C-alpha cells in the first residue's frame, strides 16, 4: 500500500526585517524622488515564503506625505515632497510588513520597522535685512523696508549715521548655519561720499556734501562662505540745511470769533475785526525769507 502525505505550510511565522531600527540624516535641500532608505535595507523575509505587503505611516503630526514607499510590495522609501526645515526638522516613520493584504479576512502576521529621520538645515536662503515682515506667516520669505537718513549740507559727520527704521543689519535666515554677513555699497554713492563698515553695516561719511541732491544708496549683504547668497537694500539719504533755531509764533495768544449758524469750513475772524480772517503765523530764524 503506497500512502502519499502532503504537508501544508501553516502561516505561523511573522515577517522579519533585517534592521528593525534605522536612522537617517538628510539635508533640507534633498531633491524630490531621492531614495532615503534602499529597498534591500527594509525588505522583510518570511519563513513561510508568503508575499509581503508593506505600509508606511508617520508618528509626527503634520509630516504626512513627505515620505513614501514605491509600492505595496516594494518598501523602498523615497522623498515625495520637498522639505522645509522651518516646518519640521525630524520625524519618525513606521514601516509595517504583513503576510496578508490589509483587506484580507485571513489572520495575518506583522512586523514593524522604525525609521528615524533627522533633517539638516541647508543654506537655501539669502540674507534678510532687518527689520522685516514675513508674508502670510510664511517663515521662508521676509520683506524689509528701505532705510532712510539725513545729513546736513556742508557739514562733516564722523559718527555712524542714524537711520530709520534702524541701523543697516542683515542676518542669515538659515539660523543653524548662521553665516557671517559682509556689507558693501554697490550703487548710488556719487563721489564716494559714504562708506559702509564691512562687518557692522554702519554707514559713515567720507567727505562733506555740497549739493542738496539726495542719495539713493544700494547696500549689498553677502554671506562670507557663499557670495552667491546676497540681498540688496535701499538707503535714502536726504541732504538738508542745518537747523539751529526752533520755529516760533508771532504772537503768544491769538483771539478769534465766529458767527452762529455758519457752515463747516467757514473762516474764523479776528476778534474785534469781523472782516479780517484770523491768520496764525510761525517764523524760523533758519529761514528768514520764508
Amino acid at each position: 500500500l503506497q500512502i502519499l502525505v502532503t504537508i501544508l505550510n501553516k502561516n505561523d511565522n511573522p515577517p522579519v526585517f533585517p534592521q528593525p531600527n534605522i536612522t537617517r540624516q538628510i539635508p533640507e535641500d534633498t531633491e524630490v524622488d531621492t531614495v532615503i532608505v534602499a529597498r534591500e535595507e527594509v525588505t522583510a523575509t518570511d519563513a513561510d515564503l508568503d508575499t509581503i505587503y508593506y505600509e508606511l505611516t508617520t508618528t509626527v503630526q503634520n509630516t504626512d506625505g513627505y515620505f513614501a514607499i514605491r509600492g505595496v510590495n516594494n518598501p523602498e522609501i523615497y522623498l515625495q515632497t520637498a522639505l522645509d526645515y522651518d516646518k519640521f526638522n525630524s520625524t519618525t516613520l513606521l514601516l509595517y510588513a504583513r503576510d496578508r493584504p490589509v483587506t484580507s479576512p485571513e489572520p495575518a502576521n506583522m512586523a514593524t520597522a522604525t525609521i528615524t529621520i533627522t533633517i539638516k538645515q541647508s543654506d537655501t536662503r539669502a540674507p534678510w535685512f532687518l527689520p522685516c515682515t514675513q508674508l502670510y506667516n510664511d517663515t521662508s520669505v521676509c520683506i524689509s523696508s528701505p532705510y532712510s537718513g539725513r545729513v546736513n549740507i556742508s557739514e562733516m559727520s564722523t559718527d555712524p549715521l542714524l537711520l530709520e527704521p534702524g541701523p543697516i543689519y542683515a542676518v542669515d535666515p538659515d539660523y543653524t548655519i548662521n553665516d557671517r554677513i559682509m556689507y558693501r555699497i554697490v550703487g548710488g554713492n556719487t563721489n564716494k561720499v559714504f562708506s559702509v563698515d564691512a562687518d557692522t553695516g554702519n554707514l559713515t561719511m567720507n567727505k562733506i556734501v555740497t549739493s542738496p541732491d539726495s542719495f539713493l544708496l544700494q547696500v549689498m549683504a553677502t554671506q562670507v562662505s557663499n557670495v552667491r547668497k546676497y540681498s540688496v537694500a535701499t538707503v535714502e539719504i536726504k541732504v538738508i540745511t542745518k537747523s539751529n533755531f526752533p520755529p516760533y509764533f508771532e504772537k503768544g495768544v491769538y483771539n478769534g470769533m465766529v458767527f452762529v449758524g455758519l457752515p463747516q469750513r467757514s473762516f474764523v475772524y479776528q476778534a474785534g475785526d469781523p472782516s479780517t480772517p484770523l491768520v496764525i503765523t510761525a517764523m524760523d530764524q533758519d529761514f528768514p525769507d520764508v
Side-chain angles (χ1 to χ4, degrees), residues 31-91:
E31 294 185 2
V32 171
D33 206 44
T34 298
V35 175
I36 305 302
V37 184
R39 181 175 184 175
E40 56 270 17
E41 294 184 78
V42 284
T43 297
T45 58
D46 189 343
D48 299 319
L49 303 180
D50 291 320
T51 300
I52 306 298
Y53 300 87
Y54 299 92
E55 180 186 6
L56 185 69
T57 63
T58 179
T59 63
V60 179
Q61 188 176 9
N62 299 324
T63 62
D64 290 328
Y66 285 91
F67 301 92
I69 56 176
R70 296 292 183 185
V72 69
N73 300 121
N74 182 352
E76 180 179 86
I77 299 174
Y78 69 98
L79 182 63
Q80 184 174 245
T81 304
L83 298 170
D84 186 342
Y85 185 87
D86 291 326
K87 292 183 178 179
F88 71 97
N89 52 39
S90 65
T91 188

Side-chain angles (χ1 to χ4, degrees), residues 170-232:
V171 297
D172 182 0
D174 300 312
Y175 51 87
T176 63
I177 299 173
N178 195 26
D179 199 358
R180 191 161 63 93
I181 305 298
M182 300 286 286
Y183 306 90
R184 64 190 179 107
I185 299 175
V186 295
N189 193 15
T190 305
N191 297 325
K192 296 183 179 180
V193 172
F194 302 98
S195 61
V196 65
D197 188 285
D199 295 315
T200 66
N202 285 337
L203 190 65
T204 55
M205 296 182 69
N206 296 323
K207 59 183 73 172
I208 64 173
V209 182
T210 57
S211 169
D213 297 332
S214 297
F215 292 81
L216 198 61
L217 306 177
Q218 291 179 307
V219 177
M220 182 170 70
T222 60
Q223 294 180 202
V224 171
S225 64
N226 187 354
V227 295
R228 294 184 178 181
K229 290 291 189 298
Y230 69 89
S231 296
V232 176

Side-chain angles (χ1 to χ4, degrees), residues 111-138:
T112 305
T114 302
I115 300 95
T116 302
I117 296 178
T118 303
I119 300 168
K120 182 180 179 181
Q121 190 172 36
S122 299
D123 190 9
T124 59
R125 293 175 291 190
W128 288 351
F129 281 98
L130 300 182
C132 65
T133 303
Q134 294 178 354
L135 292 182
Y136 313 112
N137 295 322
D138 184 352

Side-chain angles (χ1 to χ4, degrees), residues 11 22 37 46 63 71 92 101 109 121 125 144 159 162 169 175 188 216 222 231 233 247 254 270 272 277-278 280:
N11 184 21
I22 298 175
V37 184
D46 189 343
T63 62
T92 300
N109 297 308
Q121 190 172 36
R125 293 175 291 190
S144 60
D159 296 326
L162 298 178
Y169 182 62
Y175 51 87
L216 198 61
T222 60
S231 296
Y254 290 85
Q270 292 184 17
L278 178 65
I280 299 174

Side-chain angles (χ1 to χ4, degrees), residues 13 85 107 113 122-123 127 142 145-146 160 166 168 236 253 256 264 266 269:
N13 292 289
Y85 185 87
S122 299
D123 190 9
C142 202
S145 300
I168 298 172
E236 183 183 14
V253 178
Q264 293 182 359
S266 295
Y269 293 93

Side-chain angles (χ1 to χ4, degrees), residues 229-262:
K229 290 291 189 298
Y230 69 89
S231 296
V232 176
T234 300
V235 183
E236 183 183 14
I237 303 297
K238 294 182 179 179
V239 180
I240 62 172
T241 301
K242 185 176 181 179
S243 177
N244 295 309
F245 303 97
Y248 63 92
F249 290 103
E250 286 186 317
K251 298 180 181 179
V253 178
Y254 290 85
N255 296 309
M257 60 179 293
V258 294
F259 297 100
V260 175
L262 290 178

